[in-house]
Amino acid sequence: MKIFIMVVVAVLVILAIILGAASTRPDSFRIQRTATIKAPPEAIYPFIADFHRWSAWSPWEKMDPAMTRTFGGPDSGVGASYAWRGNKTVGEGRMEITQAAEPTTVGIKLDFLKPFEAHNTTEFTLTPQGDGTTVSWVMSGPSPAVTRS
């Protein structure tokens, strides 16, 4: 019985340490990536603001050739939506354009449903740079406690 109590206390102490460490981590995240493309913003913008054109450039589109896609709202710009359902790699989710300022900005509400649920925002910013455009992609959202340990 004494060993059992010691094991339970040890497990509780380890759990308290993990939860304590997790509570010191930020409750949100922000990821940013940039690339420079040799084209003006006006040539790039339509490929971002129109979900029908994402198959031309998005690496996620090629991860599951059998993925089902559903488009809604206008063809492009604010209100356009895109839902997908695929294999365990691409999962299931939905995106909706919430902000569009041609040819510089596209804001997207991004909802993952499977394999895990998450609700994030994504923003693409296009900035002319010499003979090309710097495209910046930012994704941000909440970090649930379980992901902070």
Side-chain angles (χ1 to χ4, degrees):
M1 184 67 166
K2 197 175 197 178
I3 293 176
F4 175 73
I5 292 173
M6 289 176 59
V7 169
V8 169
V9 169
V11 167
L12 290 175
V13 168
I14 291 170
L15 185 59
I17 291 170
I18 291 171
L19 292 175
S23 70
T24 65
R25 303 249 184 181
D27 61 357
S28 63
F29 74 93
R30 183 178 190 279
I31 300 169
Q32 179 173 350
R33 302 290 183 262
T34 59
T36 301
I37 300 171
K38 282 196 157 236
E42 295 80 9
I44 300 167
Y45 182 87
F47 285 90
I48 299 170
D50 181 349
F51 290 131
H52 298 93
R53 299 178 81 173
W54 279 43
S55 61
W57 64 270
S58 174
W60 290 97
E61 292 287 329
K62 293 163 185 53
M63 290 184 179
D64 180 6
M67 179 171 60
T68 59
R69 300 162 182 85
T70 306
F71 299 95
D75 286 341
S76 66
V78 174
S81 66
Y82 169 69
W84 72 91
R85 179 177 292 160
N87 62 22
K88 65 181 181 178
T89 303
V90 299
E92 180 179 350
R94 182 178 187 279
M95 297 187 285
E96 182 176 341
I97 297 178
T98 58
Q99 177 188 9
E102 190 171 352
T104 60
T105 308
V106 177
I108 300 171
K109 177 183 172 200
L110 174 58
D111 296 314
F112 294 103
L113 304 174
K114 291 181 181 177
F116 56 87
E117 187 170 347
H119 305 283
N120 304 314
T121 58
T122 302
E123 183 172 280
F124 289 89
T125 305
L126 289 74
T127 307
Q129 188 75 33
D131 65 345
T133 301
T134 298
V135 179
S136 175
W137 169 84
V138 176
M139 184 166 70
S140 59
S143 289
V146 71
T147 64
R148 291 185 262 157
S149 55

